[in-house]
Amino acid sequence: QRKNLGSALYLLANYYSVMHETVRARLRGLDDDSTIKGSVSQRLDKARRTLYGKCNLVLSGMRLRSAVIKYDVPIGGRFPSQQFQDIIESMQSTLNFMVLVSFASTSFTEMQSSDPSTSSSEWLHTFRRLIGETNVTSQSITTLLSLMSASVTNGQALPPYLRVPEPFQYSQRLDEMDADLLSVRHIAEPGYASFAVVQIGTKCIIDDLKKLLAQVKDLVGELDFSYHVISTKDGAANESEETLTYTKSNPTTDQGQNGATKT
């Protein structure tokens, strides 16, 4: 079950990476005809469908296994069934929002294919300029998912100080360009609805990843190489001393200290 969870995290990292490249190509207007065999869009679509199927298959198998594992005889300790179920649900939610962002970005291809000279929409011109300068996704998420996959697969603690990157604030950038761009009067403009869906979907992906990271930390632990200065004071002698301690957390025992220097 642990190796299946690591495989699912690895597939999720791969799917996010493909989704990232797909959305970036569509935002830059580099997306070609997906009906042409061998084209970039066709290869990206095929990779997304393949990874989505594999990821759903692994998650379904894990969900089934977690449902029946309570009937197994516990040998060597109790299986953290509830923790695994929570992680599975978080991964499924993250995958669903990735699919939503990928699907919503298809309209950006239609926007780029239209002739700007024939459109009198100032909103569309400004929005084209915005999406040509920014990224809606980050490859840092791929790195984060890969590290979680390696930790779960090998049964090792996560590296310290892992953080989920914050999403790009499109709304703030739009306000800097033109505060009227987000007005409901532009709701019929091409790309307005897609912009809203991509913005909300990306925020939901980040929120799910924060929850997923916390759940994986709770499952495998997190390395702690921090140093702590502890001050003690002897009231009778009116003397004090400072002790520098080094603590390394263990994901299984969660204890252990090494080295102490008194000054």
Side-chain angles (χ1 to χ4, degrees):
Q1 189 77 342
R2 174 173 56 84
K3 291 185 177 180
N4 288 335
L5 179 58
S7 298
L9 286 166
Y10 179 78
L11 290 171
L12 192 63
N14 274 268
Y15 184 86
Y16 181 86
S17 180
V18 176
M19 185 213 73
H20 168 83
E21 293 300 326
T22 301
V23 174
R24 188 173 68 169
R26 289 170 177 172
L27 290 175
R28 298 294 188 274
L30 304 176
D31 195 37
D32 48 14
D33 192 355
S34 60
T35 60
I36 301 176
K37 186 176 181 179
S39 63
V40 175
S41 299
Q42 194 269 342
R43 291 199 299 267
L44 288 174
D45 289 344
K46 182 178 180 181
R48 280 201 321 275
R49 288 193 297 268
T50 301
L51 289 170
Y52 177 75
K54 288 182 178 180
C55 195
N56 265 327
L57 184 62
V58 175
L59 289 176
S60 298
M62 291 175 56
R63 195 177 289 110
L64 177 61
R65 177 61 177 168
S66 297
V68 301
I69 202 171
K70 59 183 178 181
Y71 301 107
D72 292 349
V73 178
I75 299 176
R78 185 178 180 182
F79 180 77
S81 178
Q82 187 59 47
Q83 286 180 297
F84 268 76
Q85 290 179 4
D86 293 340
I87 292 176
I88 292 170
E89 294 305 319
S90 297
M91 292 177 61
Q92 186 68 64
S93 178
T94 304
L95 178 63
N96 292 340
F97 281 116
M98 288 181 184
V99 175
L100 178 63
V101 170
S102 177
F103 180 77
S105 65
T106 54
S107 64
F108 296 142
T109 303
E110 300 173 359
M111 289 174 51
Q112 297 290 349
S113 61
S114 60
D115 187 3
S117 62
T118 61
S119 174
S120 59
S121 172
E122 183 64 26
W123 187 93
L124 182 57
H125 294 163
T126 307
F127 187 73
R128 276 190 176 130
R129 181 157 49 93
L130 169 69
I131 63 177
E133 299 173 356
T134 57
N135 278 325
V136 67
T137 55
S138 171
Q139 286 289 26
S140 300
I141 295 178
T142 306
T143 304
L144 177 64
L145 289 170
S146 300
L147 286 173
M148 287 193 288
S149 172
S151 294
V152 172
T153 302
N154 300 321
Q156 297 177 345
L158 285 170
Y161 314 119
L162 284 181
R163 295 292 183 270
V164 179
E166 293 298 327
F168 181 81
Q169 298 297 326
Y170 267 112
S171 301
Q172 181 180 354
R173 187 64 182 274
L174 281 171
D175 287 337
E176 293 175 358
M177 290 184 169
D178 188 349
D180 188 55
L181 282 177
L182 296 180
S183 173
V184 294
R185 296 186 293 104
H186 303 295
I187 197 171
E189 296 286 354
Y192 187 95
S194 297
F195 159 74
V197 173
V198 169
Q199 178 80 347
I200 295 173
T202 304
K203 180 64 170 62
C204 291
I205 291 174
I206 297 298
D207 291 341
D208 283 339
L209 285 175
K210 290 179 179 178
K211 185 192 304 183
L212 180 61
L213 178 59
Q215 292 167 343
V216 174
K217 282 182 181 180
D218 187 48
L219 180 66
V220 301
E222 181 184 26
L223 292 176
D224 183 10
F225 299 110
S226 57
Y227 288 84
H228 307 281
V229 178
I230 304 174
S231 298
T232 58
K233 184 175 182 180
D234 187 353
N238 196 23
E239 296 179 352
S240 65
E241 64 178 7
E242 291 184 349
T243 303
L244 180 64
T245 63
Y246 165 71
T247 304
K248 178 180 178 182
S249 298
N250 188 293
T252 55
T253 62
D254 208 19
Q255 61 182 356
Q257 291 185 349
N258 181 20
T261 305
K262 293 185 178 181
T263 59

